[in-house]
Amino acid sequence: MKPEDRVEGRHPMEEFLRMDRMPHIWCSGCGIGIVVTSFIEALQKSGLDPNKVCVCSGIGCTGRVAGYVKLDSFHTTHGRPVPFATGLKLANPELKVVVFSGDGDIVGIGGNHFIHAARRNMDIVVICVNNFNYAMTGGQVAATTPIGANLSTAPYGNFEYPFNLPYLAEACGATYVARWTCLHIRRVTKSIQEALQKRGFSFIEVITPCVTLYARRNRLGDGLNLLRYYYENSEIRHGADTRTLDIGYQGKIIVGKFVDIEKPTFLDCMNNHLRKVLGDKYQPWGVKS
Amino acid sequence: MNVRKKSADPKGVLTGVHYLDGDYAIAEGALAAGCRFFAGYPITPSTETAERFAERIPMVGGVFIQMEDEIASVAALIGASWAGLKAMTVTSGPGFSLMMENIGLACMMEVPIVIADVQRGGPSTGLPTLTGQGDMQQVKWGSHGDYEIIALSPDSPQECFDLTIKAFNLSEMFRVPVFIMTDECVGHMHEKVVIPPAEEIEIVERKWYEGPKDKYLPYKPDVDLVPFMVKAGDGYRFHTTGLTHDERGYPVINAECQDWCVRHLCDKIRLNADKIIEYKEDETDNAEIVVVSYGITSRVAWKAIQDARKAGIKVGSLRLITIWPFPDKRIEELAGKIKAFVVPEINLGQIKREVERAAKGKVPVYPVSHCGGWVHNPDNILKVIKEAAK
Ligand code: SF4
């Protein structure tokens, strides 16, 4: 019997993973894999046809997700998975398009794309793995780094104000906004499932340990120490005012689902508006007749 | 080539005789070619193409979206193209510079997209409302690394229409970004544009893969070197990346794979160059001087050529329709027979440099350069033709 034929030699999620690309590049103790597991479980539970689900990633450690999930998966340029997903979704509205990338990618270099996709209520799911630093390049300061944290390009500690991502997403028009840490596995899964089953711009921030860079440079211990930090310092506050969700260095992390509203998507607005103005001349787009 | 053709979808074809400017003609060419996705960002002097597309597409069926910038525009085109639509955008110098990042991605992912650059004077903000031809090398080299693209240069609104269709066809045929390198003058020039009936417009279909699902390799070259394509949502569960990759589309970070991957991107265009290159010649057979020109400048040069002929100089014209890949062979052949080339262009010698390279030092190449803002005075071209003929 070949090892892959044995039950114990097989991965329970192998239908959704590119097993021919394993082992992956992530460090042991990294939180990204946990979020991938949650995503796949959410996908399985969602009842969506996986052939119609696409994953777009940008660049960075989390950017590698597109390379490991066995779906139509696109590893794009740095910061651009959101507009890439916009094109994919609009060209074939039947697709469920998920952007899976890191904080540097989505709100650092890709911040402009992020706010505009949220403003348009583009019908995509954005999963943002936030590890407070640029990890792939060796641990540089990011737009999410808490004040005081030490990173290679902030060798005396960060003094810039970081983004509060749920506040940013809500202010720009997102219809679903949640934040979890990767300790909250079941809740991450549930949020992703809800987002997959929802129409509109959904944003899920997942705070994860970067053990190799952020944690080591700040002497925060290993993955387990960080999970303990999440355990002791995160507080579930569903529906919290997103203005109050700043994260201080090793401070309290407010998690939960903050926004879950219904609003016509970009395509709904386009079809409704143009039909109203142009009447029968208008050829609706992406509407099943 | 492994090419499947059909006639145009009549929904997008505005058959008839029109009075259009070049920018509008590009939009009509795109719609006739079957383009159903446009993502762009306004920039003078190209915006009219976006405006026309935005006005027309609701009645044809498709998407127009104004993106937050030109970076996003090209990213969206690549996404849309993977979803199976023909996609285009239009821009000018500053926007073109922003597009370079994802043009590289389109080359690496081998995605058909079409980009029109209505050139204005540069560098930087330069001359927003006045003409230039200064992006002719940028289109070839603007993104980092080695790759090949195809670029065409129309000299009239009619050619804007015709070459936009050709651009889409070449793009689908070679899975490569194709560029329409026009300029402010042609973009804003109104002329007669004849749009033929749909059944007379030949459209190249994408090379869709039809084999078994589990055997699909997104980057396995076919006999003509161009790999077959599938679209998102069809159950292939493929992967594609901007990283150096193997036939499966999986990243492989080493020198061997880099060699295979990059040579493939270049070879599929270089080795098929003869099937791509198009130019128009006039009286080159017995010419002593050949004027090599393109776009708006070829129309100005035409006056100078006629005047030179009246003055008894044997002048031929080689008008480039395809700029990239460059017609090296034809230039070298001519170089063996003539006395000199004259290359007028609205830049400081970008294509003159190519003519010189292809002529391999056999004959002198005289530039007639112009920094932009207006077209040449034909007398200045005539002066150089006369000097070259001495
Ligand atoms: S460097 Fe940090 S983020 Fe990247 S894989 Fe390692 S632990 Fe994870």
Side-chain angles (χ1 to χ4, degrees), chain A residues 15 18 20 51-52 66 70-75 77 80 83 87-88 113 120 282-283 285, chain B residues 58-59 63 66 68 71 76 78-80 101-102 232-233 237-242 250-251:
Chain A
E15 195 200 329
R18 296 187 190 279
D20 50 352
N51 289 341
K52 302 283 179 205
K70 201 166 165 191
L71 299 166
D72 288 334
S73 58
F74 303 88
H75 185 210
T77 38
R80 321 303 172 205
L88 204 51
H113 310 309
R120 296 182 182 111
Y282 178 57
Q283 304 287 313
W285 183 251
Chain B
M59 275 68 78
V63 177
Q66 186 168 308
E68 51 275 16
I71 301 171
I78 302 172
E101 175 194 57
N102 285 322
R237 306 230 204 146
F238 63 93
H239 178 62
T240 178
T241 173
Y250 287 4

mmCIF file of all heavy atoms in Angstrom, chain A residues 15 18 20 51-52 66 70-75 77 80 83 87-88 113 120 282-283 285, chain B residues 58-59 63 66 68 71 76 78-80 101-102 232-233 237-242 250-251:
data_model
loop_
_atom_site.group_PDB
_atom_site.id
_atom_site.type_symbol
_atom_site.label_atom_id
_atom_site.label_comp_id
_atom_site.label_asym_id
_atom_site.label_seq_id
_atom_site.Cartn_x
_atom_site.Cartn_y
_atom_site.Cartn_z
ATOM 1 N N GLU A 15 -8.827 17.538 -0.822
ATOM 2 C CA GLU A 15 -9.595 17.908 -2.008
ATOM 3 C C GLU A 15 -9.438 19.403 -2.310
ATOM 4 O O GLU A 15 -9.636 19.856 -3.427
ATOM 5 C CB GLU A 15 -11.076 17.577 -1.763
ATOM 6 C CG GLU A 15 -11.907 17.585 -3.022
ATOM 7 C CD GLU A 15 -13.395 17.745 -2.738
ATOM 8 O OE1 GLU A 15 -13.851 17.279 -1.672
ATOM 9 O OE2 GLU A 15 -14.076 18.343 -3.587
ATOM 10 N N ARG A 18 -3.441 21.825 -2.672
ATOM 11 C CA ARG A 18 -2.537 21.310 -3.697
ATOM 12 C C ARG A 18 -1.482 20.472 -2.978
ATOM 13 O O ARG A 18 -0.421 20.987 -2.604
ATOM 14 C CB ARG A 18 -1.892 22.457 -4.471
ATOM 15 C CG ARG A 18 -2.894 23.285 -5.248
ATOM 16 C CD ARG A 18 -2.252 24.321 -6.145
ATOM 17 N NE ARG A 18 -3.273 25.203 -6.666
ATOM 18 C CZ ARG A 18 -4.065 24.931 -7.714
ATOM 19 N NH1 ARG A 18 -3.912 23.801 -8.386
ATOM 20 N NH2 ARG A 18 -4.984 25.790 -8.100
ATOM 21 N N ASP A 20 0.429 18.360 -4.064
ATOM 22 C CA ASP A 20 1.702 18.259 -4.789
ATOM 23 C C ASP A 20 2.602 19.466 -4.544
ATOM 24 O O ASP A 20 3.715 19.523 -5.053
ATOM 25 C CB ASP A 20 1.456 18.057 -6.300
ATOM 26 C CG ASP A 20 0.475 19.072 -6.892
ATOM 27 O OD1 ASP A 20 -0.132 19.840 -6.116
ATOM 28 O OD2 ASP A 20 0.314 19.084 -8.125
ATOM 29 N N ASN A 51 -15.895 24.672 -7.673
ATOM 30 C CA ASN A 51 -15.444 25.037 -9.018
ATOM 31 C C ASN A 51 -15.767 26.482 -9.365
ATOM 32 O O ASN A 51 -15.252 27.022 -10.335
ATOM 33 C CB ASN A 51 -16.078 24.124 -10.068
ATOM 34 C CG ASN A 51 -15.499 22.727 -10.008
ATOM 35 O OD1 ASN A 51 -14.418 22.516 -9.452
ATOM 36 N ND2 ASN A 51 -16.222 21.770 -10.564
ATOM 37 N N LYS A 52 -16.636 27.074 -8.565
ATOM 38 C CA LYS A 52 -17.018 28.474 -8.842
ATOM 39 C C LYS A 52 -16.429 29.424 -7.816
ATOM 40 O O LYS A 52 -16.857 30.567 -7.697
ATOM 41 C CB LYS A 52 -18.551 28.610 -8.829
ATOM 42 C CG LYS A 52 -19.268 27.727 -9.824
ATOM 43 C CD LYS A 52 -19.172 28.291 -11.223
ATOM 44 C CE LYS A 52 -19.870 27.376 -12.227
ATOM 45 N NZ LYS A 52 -19.325 27.547 -13.578
ATOM 46 N N ALA A 66 -2.820 31.514 -2.258
ATOM 47 C CA ALA A 66 -3.364 31.157 -3.576
ATOM 48 C C ALA A 66 -2.630 29.956 -4.173
ATOM 49 O O ALA A 66 -3.206 29.198 -4.957
ATOM 50 C CB ALA A 66 -3.282 32.351 -4.516
ATOM 51 N N LYS A 70 -6.611 24.393 -3.652
ATOM 52 C CA LYS A 70 -6.923 23.764 -4.933
ATOM 53 C C LYS A 70 -8.269 24.275 -5.440
ATOM 54 O O LYS A 70 -9.297 23.615 -5.343
ATOM 55 C CB LYS A 70 -6.951 22.246 -4.772
ATOM 56 C CG LYS A 70 -6.770 21.531 -6.087
ATOM 57 C CD LYS A 70 -6.472 20.086 -5.813
ATOM 58 C CE LYS A 70 -6.641 19.238 -7.031
ATOM 59 N NZ LYS A 70 -6.592 17.828 -6.637
ATOM 60 N N LEU A 71 -8.217 25.499 -5.900
ATOM 61 C CA LEU A 71 -9.360 26.192 -6.500
ATOM 62 C C LEU A 71 -8.738 26.965 -7.659
ATOM 63 O O LEU A 71 -7.524 26.972 -7.803
ATOM 64 C CB LEU A 71 -9.968 27.168 -5.488
ATOM 65 C CG LEU A 71 -10.509 26.570 -4.193
ATOM 66 C CD1 LEU A 71 -10.742 27.669 -3.169
ATOM 67 C CD2 LEU A 71 -11.809 25.817 -4.462
ATOM 68 N N ASP A 72 -9.545 27.627 -8.465
ATOM 69 C CA ASP A 72 -8.937 28.545 -9.428
ATOM 70 C C ASP A 72 -8.284 29.620 -8.584
ATOM 71 O O ASP A 72 -8.965 30.352 -7.849
ATOM 72 C CB ASP A 72 -9.998 29.141 -10.355
ATOM 73 C CG ASP A 72 -10.529 28.101 -11.345
ATOM 74 O OD1 ASP A 72 -9.784 27.143 -11.643
ATOM 75 O OD2 ASP A 72 -11.662 28.238 -11.805
ATOM 76 N N SER A 73 -6.950 29.685 -8.649
ATOM 77 C CA SER A 73 -6.249 30.528 -7.677
ATOM 78 C C SER A 73 -5.194 31.380 -8.360
ATOM 79 O O SER A 73 -4.432 30.907 -9.190
ATOM 80 C CB SER A 73 -5.638 29.658 -6.582
ATOM 81 O OG SER A 73 -4.760 28.718 -7.144
ATOM 82 N N PHE A 74 -5.175 32.645 -7.958
ATOM 83 C CA PHE A 74 -4.392 33.651 -8.671
ATOM 84 C C PHE A 74 -3.444 34.352 -7.719
ATOM 85 O O PHE A 74 -3.877 35.031 -6.790
ATOM 86 C CB PHE A 74 -5.339 34.674 -9.301
ATOM 87 C CG PHE A 74 -6.353 34.040 -10.219
ATOM 88 C CD1 PHE A 74 -7.568 33.576 -9.720
ATOM 89 C CD2 PHE A 74 -6.079 33.870 -11.561
ATOM 90 C CE1 PHE A 74 -8.493 32.968 -10.553
ATOM 91 C CE2 PHE A 74 -6.996 33.263 -12.409
ATOM 92 C CZ PHE A 74 -8.212 32.802 -11.906
ATOM 93 N N HIS A 75 -2.182 34.192 -7.975
ATOM 94 C CA HIS A 75 -1.149 34.836 -7.173
ATOM 95 C C HIS A 75 -0.728 36.085 -7.942
ATOM 96 O O HIS A 75 0.039 36.002 -8.890
ATOM 97 C CB HIS A 75 0.012 33.845 -7.010
ATOM 98 C CG HIS A 75 1.095 34.329 -6.107
ATOM 99 N ND1 HIS A 75 2.405 33.958 -6.275
ATOM 100 C CD2 HIS A 75 1.075 35.142 -5.026
ATOM 101 C CE1 HIS A 75 3.150 34.529 -5.327
ATOM 102 N NE2 HIS A 75 2.366 35.248 -4.562
ATOM 103 N N THR A 77 0.014 40.577 -8.204
ATOM 104 C CA THR A 77 1.106 41.474 -7.811
ATOM 105 C C THR A 77 0.817 42.092 -6.436
ATOM 106 O O THR A 77 -0.289 41.994 -5.918
ATOM 107 C CB THR A 77 1.280 42.591 -8.851
ATOM 108 O OG1 THR A 77 -0.002 42.997 -9.304
ATOM 109 C CG2 THR A 77 2.100 42.110 -10.027
ATOM 110 N N ARG A 80 -2.417 44.189 -5.331
ATOM 111 C CA ARG A 80 -3.422 44.263 -6.399
ATOM 112 C C ARG A 80 -4.458 43.145 -6.433
ATOM 113 O O ARG A 80 -5.211 43.058 -7.399
ATOM 114 C CB ARG A 80 -2.735 44.347 -7.771
ATOM 115 C CG ARG A 80 -1.494 45.202 -7.851
ATOM 116 C CD ARG A 80 -1.683 46.629 -7.421
ATOM 117 N NE ARG A 80 -0.389 47.311 -7.350
ATOM 118 C CZ ARG A 80 -0.139 48.353 -6.589
ATOM 119 N NH1 ARG A 80 -1.073 48.851 -5.807
ATOM 120 N NH2 ARG A 80 1.045 48.914 -6.587
ATOM 121 N N PRO A 83 -8.267 44.713 -6.949
ATOM 122 C CA PRO A 83 -8.736 45.048 -8.304
ATOM 123 C C PRO A 83 -8.737 43.846 -9.251
ATOM 124 O O PRO A 83 -9.576 43.771 -10.152
ATOM 125 C CB PRO A 83 -7.758 46.127 -8.781
ATOM 126 C CG PRO A 83 -6.588 46.071 -7.871
ATOM 127 C CD PRO A 83 -7.097 45.532 -6.567
ATOM 128 N N GLY A 87 -12.097 42.538 -11.361
ATOM 129 C CA GLY A 87 -12.226 42.157 -12.776
ATOM 130 C C GLY A 87 -12.806 40.769 -12.942
ATOM 131 O O GLY A 87 -13.690 40.527 -13.772
ATOM 132 N N LEU A 88 -12.312 39.856 -12.134
ATOM 133 C CA LEU A 88 -12.771 38.463 -12.198
ATOM 134 C C LEU A 88 -14.267 38.379 -11.887
ATOM 135 O O LEU A 88 -15.049 37.760 -12.607
ATOM 136 C CB LEU A 88 -11.967 37.689 -11.154
ATOM 137 C CG LEU A 88 -11.751 36.193 -11.254
ATOM 138 C CD1 LEU A 88 -11.223 35.792 -12.610
ATOM 139 C CD2 LEU A 88 -10.764 35.756 -10.166
ATOM 140 N N HIS A 113 -6.901 50.516 -3.332
ATOM 141 C CA HIS A 113 -7.821 49.568 -3.984
ATOM 142 C C HIS A 113 -8.853 49.070 -2.983
ATOM 143 O O HIS A 113 -10.028 48.907 -3.297
ATOM 144 C CB HIS A 113 -7.049 48.381 -4.564
ATOM 145 C CG HIS A 113 -5.878 48.795 -5.403
ATOM 146 N ND1 HIS A 113 -5.998 49.703 -6.414
ATOM 147 C CD2 HIS A 113 -4.569 48.431 -5.359
ATOM 148 C CE1 HIS A 113 -4.800 49.895 -6.972
ATOM 149 N NE2 HIS A 113 -3.924 49.132 -6.345
ATOM 150 N N ARG A 120 -17.498 50.753 -3.397
ATOM 151 C CA ARG A 120 -18.399 50.303 -4.473
ATOM 152 C C ARG A 120 -19.295 49.150 -4.024
ATOM 153 O O ARG A 120 -20.131 48.711 -4.778
ATOM 154 C CB ARG A 120 -17.574 49.794 -5.658
ATOM 155 C CG ARG A 120 -16.723 50.824 -6.326
ATOM 156 C CD ARG A 120 -15.980 50.223 -7.514
ATOM 157 N NE ARG A 120 -15.131 51.222 -8.116
ATOM 158 C CZ ARG A 120 -13.800 51.204 -8.087
ATOM 159 N NH1 ARG A 120 -13.165 50.201 -7.509
ATOM 160 N NH2 ARG A 120 -13.112 52.163 -8.637
ATOM 161 N N TYR A 282 -31.403 48.496 -22.379
ATOM 162 C CA TYR A 282 -30.288 48.042 -21.548
ATOM 163 C C TYR A 282 -30.167 46.518 -21.540
ATOM 164 O O TYR A 282 -31.154 45.806 -21.386
ATOM 165 C CB TYR A 282 -30.461 48.559 -20.114
ATOM 166 C CG TYR A 282 -29.366 48.085 -19.194
ATOM 167 C CD1 TYR A 282 -28.038 48.357 -19.499
ATOM 168 C CD2 TYR A 282 -29.646 47.340 -18.048
ATOM 169 C CE1 TYR A 282 -27.015 47.908 -18.686
ATOM 170 C CE2 TYR A 282 -28.624 46.887 -17.224
ATOM 171 C CZ TYR A 282 -27.312 47.169 -17.546
ATOM 172 O OH TYR A 282 -26.301 46.706 -16.753
ATOM 173 N N GLN A 283 -28.953 46.052 -21.717
ATOM 174 C CA GLN A 283 -28.674 44.618 -21.636
ATOM 175 C C GLN A 283 -28.119 44.319 -20.246
ATOM 176 O O GLN A 283 -26.951 44.594 -19.992
ATOM 177 C CB GLN A 283 -27.613 44.204 -22.671
ATOM 178 C CG GLN A 283 -27.943 44.547 -24.108
ATOM 179 C CD GLN A 283 -29.020 43.633 -24.643
ATOM 180 O OE1 GLN A 283 -28.969 42.424 -24.483
ATOM 181 N NE2 GLN A 283 -30.032 44.231 -25.264
ATOM 182 N N TRP A 285 -26.390 42.813 -17.002
ATOM 183 C CA TRP A 285 -25.149 42.045 -16.958
ATOM 184 C C TRP A 285 -25.138 41.138 -15.727
ATOM 185 O O TRP A 285 -25.346 41.600 -14.603
ATOM 186 C CB TRP A 285 -23.939 42.981 -16.929
ATOM 187 C CG TRP A 285 -22.642 42.230 -16.960
ATOM 188 C CD1 TRP A 285 -21.751 42.091 -15.948
ATOM 189 C CD2 TRP A 285 -22.116 41.493 -18.066
ATOM 190 N NE1 TRP A 285 -20.695 41.314 -16.345
ATOM 191 C CE2 TRP A 285 -20.890 40.935 -17.640
ATOM 192 C CE3 TRP A 285 -22.555 41.240 -19.373
ATOM 193 C CZ2 TRP A 285 -20.095 40.139 -18.482
ATOM 194 C CZ3 TRP A 285 -21.767 40.456 -20.207
ATOM 195 C CH2 TRP A 285 -20.548 39.920 -19.759
ATOM 196 N N PRO B 58 -23.704 49.589 -22.256
ATOM 197 C CA PRO B 58 -24.966 49.133 -21.651
ATOM 198 C C PRO B 58 -25.928 48.527 -22.666
ATOM 199 O O PRO B 58 -26.717 47.650 -22.323
ATOM 200 C CB PRO B 58 -25.553 50.421 -21.051
ATOM 201 C CG PRO B 58 -24.396 51.324 -20.841
ATOM 202 C CD PRO B 58 -23.444 51.017 -21.961
ATOM 203 N N MET B 59 -25.846 48.971 -23.908
ATOM 204 C CA MET B 59 -26.752 48.433 -24.922
ATOM 205 C C MET B 59 -26.178 47.204 -25.613
ATOM 206 O O MET B 59 -26.873 46.524 -26.362
ATOM 207 C CB MET B 59 -27.074 49.515 -25.971
ATOM 208 C CG MET B 59 -28.212 50.424 -25.563
ATOM 209 S SD MET B 59 -27.819 51.499 -24.174
ATOM 210 C CE MET B 59 -26.841 52.756 -24.993
ATOM 211 N N VAL B 63 -19.298 45.248 -19.298
ATOM 212 C CA VAL B 63 -18.968 46.041 -18.116
ATOM 213 C C VAL B 63 -18.041 47.188 -18.475
ATOM 214 O O VAL B 63 -17.041 46.997 -19.159
ATOM 215 C CB VAL B 63 -18.272 45.159 -17.041
ATOM 216 C CG1 VAL B 63 -17.867 46.011 -15.839
ATOM 217 C CG2 VAL B 63 -19.172 44.024 -16.602
ATOM 218 N N GLN B 66 -14.910 52.500 -14.009
ATOM 219 C CA GLN B 66 -13.822 53.456 -13.825
ATOM 220 C C GLN B 66 -13.124 53.117 -12.528
ATOM 221 O O GLN B 66 -13.707 53.194 -11.455
ATOM 222 C CB GLN B 66 -14.366 54.875 -13.812
ATOM 223 C CG GLN B 66 -13.236 55.888 -13.767
ATOM 224 C CD GLN B 66 -13.721 57.290 -14.035
ATOM 225 O OE1 GLN B 66 -14.396 57.538 -15.017
ATOM 226 N NE2 GLN B 66 -13.379 58.201 -13.155
ATOM 227 N N GLU B 68 -9.851 53.105 -9.601
ATOM 228 C CA GLU B 68 -9.246 54.141 -8.767
ATOM 229 C C GLU B 68 -7.910 54.635 -9.337
ATOM 230 O O GLU B 68 -7.445 55.710 -8.967
ATOM 231 C CB GLU B 68 -9.058 53.639 -7.330
ATOM 232 C CG GLU B 68 -8.363 52.297 -7.181
ATOM 233 C CD GLU B 68 -9.315 51.108 -7.307
ATOM 234 O OE1 GLU B 68 -10.433 51.293 -7.806
ATOM 235 O OE2 GLU B 68 -8.921 49.988 -6.908
ATOM 236 N N ILE B 71 -3.145 51.340 -12.185
ATOM 237 C CA ILE B 71 -2.617 50.072 -11.674
ATOM 238 C C ILE B 71 -3.791 49.108 -11.541
ATOM 239 O O ILE B 71 -3.753 47.962 -12.015
ATOM 240 C CB ILE B 71 -1.956 50.282 -10.288
ATOM 241 C CG1 ILE B 71 -0.828 51.301 -10.381
ATOM 242 C CG2 ILE B 71 -1.465 48.964 -9.722
ATOM 243 C CD1 ILE B 71 -0.261 51.724 -9.021
ATOM 244 N N ALA B 76 -7.566 44.669 -13.063
ATOM 245 C CA ALA B 76 -8.940 44.245 -13.352
ATOM 246 C C ALA B 76 -9.043 43.593 -14.735
ATOM 247 O O ALA B 76 -9.771 42.612 -14.912
ATOM 248 C CB ALA B 76 -9.889 45.436 -13.249
ATOM 249 N N ILE B 78 -6.787 41.856 -16.233
ATOM 250 C CA ILE B 78 -6.226 40.500 -16.176
ATOM 251 C C ILE B 78 -7.234 39.554 -15.528
ATOM 252 O O ILE B 78 -7.465 38.442 -16.007
ATOM 253 C CB ILE B 78 -4.869 40.490 -15.433
ATOM 254 C CG1 ILE B 78 -3.887 41.443 -16.128
ATOM 255 C CG2 ILE B 78 -4.282 39.084 -15.391
ATOM 256 C CD1 ILE B 78 -2.579 41.645 -15.371
ATOM 257 N N GLY B 79 -7.871 40.028 -14.446
ATOM 258 C CA GLY B 79 -8.910 39.223 -13.805
ATOM 259 C C GLY B 79 -10.040 38.911 -14.779
ATOM 260 O O GLY B 79 -10.484 37.771 -14.905
ATOM 261 N N ALA B 80 -10.499 39.940 -15.483
ATOM 262 C CA ALA B 80 -11.616 39.762 -16.421
ATOM 263 C C ALA B 80 -11.243 38.815 -17.547
ATOM 264 O O ALA B 80 -12.061 38.005 -18.005
ATOM 265 C CB ALA B 80 -12.034 41.115 -16.978
ATOM 266 N N GLU B 101 3.601 47.762 -13.981
ATOM 267 C CA GLU B 101 3.672 46.648 -13.042
ATOM 268 C C GLU B 101 2.807 45.470 -13.508
ATOM 269 O O GLU B 101 3.272 44.340 -13.626
ATOM 270 C CB GLU B 101 3.181 47.129 -11.674
ATOM 271 C CG GLU B 101 3.083 46.039 -10.637
ATOM 272 C CD GLU B 101 2.284 46.479 -9.415
ATOM 273 O OE1 GLU B 101 1.122 46.889 -9.568
ATOM 274 O OE2 GLU B 101 2.836 46.417 -8.314
ATOM 275 N N ASN B 102 1.546 45.762 -13.794
ATOM 276 C CA ASN B 102 0.657 44.662 -14.141
ATOM 277 C C ASN B 102 0.753 44.248 -15.606
ATOM 278 O O ASN B 102 0.274 43.177 -15.983
ATOM 279 C CB ASN B 102 -0.781 44.989 -13.743
ATOM 280 C CG ASN B 102 -0.944 44.859 -12.232
ATOM 281 O OD1 ASN B 102 -0.373 43.955 -11.617
ATOM 282 N ND2 ASN B 102 -1.685 45.765 -11.630
ATOM 283 N N ALA B 232 -11.646 30.804 -15.482
ATOM 284 C CA ALA B 232 -12.019 30.591 -14.089
ATOM 285 C C ALA B 232 -13.472 30.130 -14.034
ATOM 286 O O ALA B 232 -14.310 30.610 -14.785
ATOM 287 C CB ALA B 232 -11.853 31.884 -13.301
ATOM 288 N N GLY B 233 -13.741 29.186 -13.153
ATOM 289 C CA GLY B 233 -15.123 28.749 -12.956
ATOM 290 C C GLY B 233 -15.497 27.523 -13.772
ATOM 291 O O GLY B 233 -16.608 27.015 -13.661
ATOM 292 N N ARG B 237 -9.581 24.217 -11.723
ATOM 293 C CA ARG B 237 -8.881 24.522 -10.468
ATOM 294 C C ARG B 237 -7.385 24.731 -10.709
ATOM 295 O O ARG B 237 -6.541 24.092 -10.105
ATOM 296 C CB ARG B 237 -9.116 23.404 -9.453
ATOM 297 C CG ARG B 237 -10.597 23.110 -9.232
ATOM 298 C CD ARG B 237 -10.926 23.081 -7.766
ATOM 299 N NE ARG B 237 -12.108 22.301 -7.504
ATOM 300 C CZ ARG B 237 -12.295 21.578 -6.410
ATOM 301 N NH1 ARG B 237 -11.347 21.525 -5.487
ATOM 302 N NH2 ARG B 237 -13.407 20.925 -6.213
ATOM 303 N N PHE B 238 -7.119 25.627 -11.645
ATOM 304 C CA PHE B 238 -5.729 25.882 -12.032
ATOM 305 C C PHE B 238 -5.110 26.951 -11.128
ATOM 306 O O PHE B 238 -5.824 27.670 -10.426
ATOM 307 C CB PHE B 238 -5.662 26.314 -13.497
ATOM 308 C CG PHE B 238 -6.384 27.619 -13.777
ATOM 309 C CD1 PHE B 238 -5.704 28.828 -13.754
ATOM 310 C CD2 PHE B 238 -7.743 27.623 -14.056
ATOM 311 C CE1 PHE B 238 -6.371 30.028 -14.011
ATOM 312 C CE2 PHE B 238 -8.411 28.823 -14.305
ATOM 313 C CZ PHE B 238 -7.726 30.016 -14.285
ATOM 314 N N HIS B 239 -3.803 27.040 -11.196
ATOM 315 C CA HIS B 239 -3.098 28.078 -10.455
ATOM 316 C C HIS B 239 -2.250 28.888 -11.423
ATOM 317 O O HIS B 239 -1.676 28.338 -12.357
ATOM 318 C CB HIS B 239 -2.198 27.464 -9.380
ATOM 319 C CG HIS B 239 -1.407 28.498 -8.619
ATOM 320 N ND1 HIS B 239 -2.014 29.474 -7.864
ATOM 321 C CD2 HIS B 239 -0.073 28.727 -8.526
ATOM 322 C CE1 HIS B 239 -1.082 30.254 -7.316
ATOM 323 N NE2 HIS B 239 0.100 29.820 -7.707
ATOM 324 N N THR B 240 -2.193 30.175 -11.197
ATOM 325 C CA THR B 240 -1.318 31.020 -12.016
ATOM 326 C C THR B 240 -0.686 32.063 -11.114
ATOM 327 O O THR B 240 -1.281 32.480 -10.118
ATOM 328 C CB THR B 240 -2.093 31.640 -13.193
ATOM 329 O OG1 THR B 240 -1.202 32.493 -13.926
ATOM 330 C CG2 THR B 240 -3.308 32.450 -12.750
ATOM 331 N N THR B 241 0.518 32.464 -11.444
ATOM 332 C CA THR B 241 1.303 33.322 -10.558
ATOM 333 C C THR B 241 2.212 34.239 -11.356
ATOM 334 O O THR B 241 2.584 33.922 -12.489
ATOM 335 C CB THR B 241 2.153 32.463 -9.594
ATOM 336 O OG1 THR B 241 3.028 33.322 -8.842
ATOM 337 C CG2 THR B 241 3.013 31.452 -10.307
ATOM 338 N N GLY B 242 2.575 35.339 -10.732
ATOM 339 C CA GLY B 242 3.584 36.210 -11.318
ATOM 340 C C GLY B 242 4.996 35.712 -11.055
ATOM 341 O O GLY B 242 5.972 36.248 -11.574
ATOM 342 N N TYR B 250 3.019 26.307 -11.396
ATOM 343 C CA TYR B 250 3.514 26.312 -10.014
ATOM 344 C C TYR B 250 4.845 27.059 -9.943
ATOM 345 O O TYR B 250 5.696 26.898 -10.814
ATOM 346 C CB TYR B 250 3.733 24.873 -9.513
ATOM 347 C CG TYR B 250 2.467 24.106 -9.215
ATOM 348 C CD1 TYR B 250 1.202 24.651 -9.459
ATOM 349 C CD2 TYR B 250 2.547 22.811 -8.697
ATOM 350 C CE1 TYR B 250 0.061 23.922 -9.185
ATOM 351 C CE2 TYR B 250 1.398 22.081 -8.418
ATOM 352 C CZ TYR B 250 0.157 22.639 -8.665
ATOM 353 O OH TYR B 250 -0.970 21.926 -8.397
ATOM 354 N N PRO B 251 5.046 27.833 -8.872
ATOM 355 C CA PRO B 251 6.310 28.541 -8.754
ATOM 356 C C PRO B 251 7.493 27.595 -8.603
ATOM 357 O O PRO B 251 7.424 26.613 -7.848
ATOM 358 C CB PRO B 251 6.127 29.390 -7.492
ATOM 359 C CG PRO B 251 4.906 28.911 -6.814
ATOM 360 C CD PRO B 251 4.098 28.146 -7.787
#
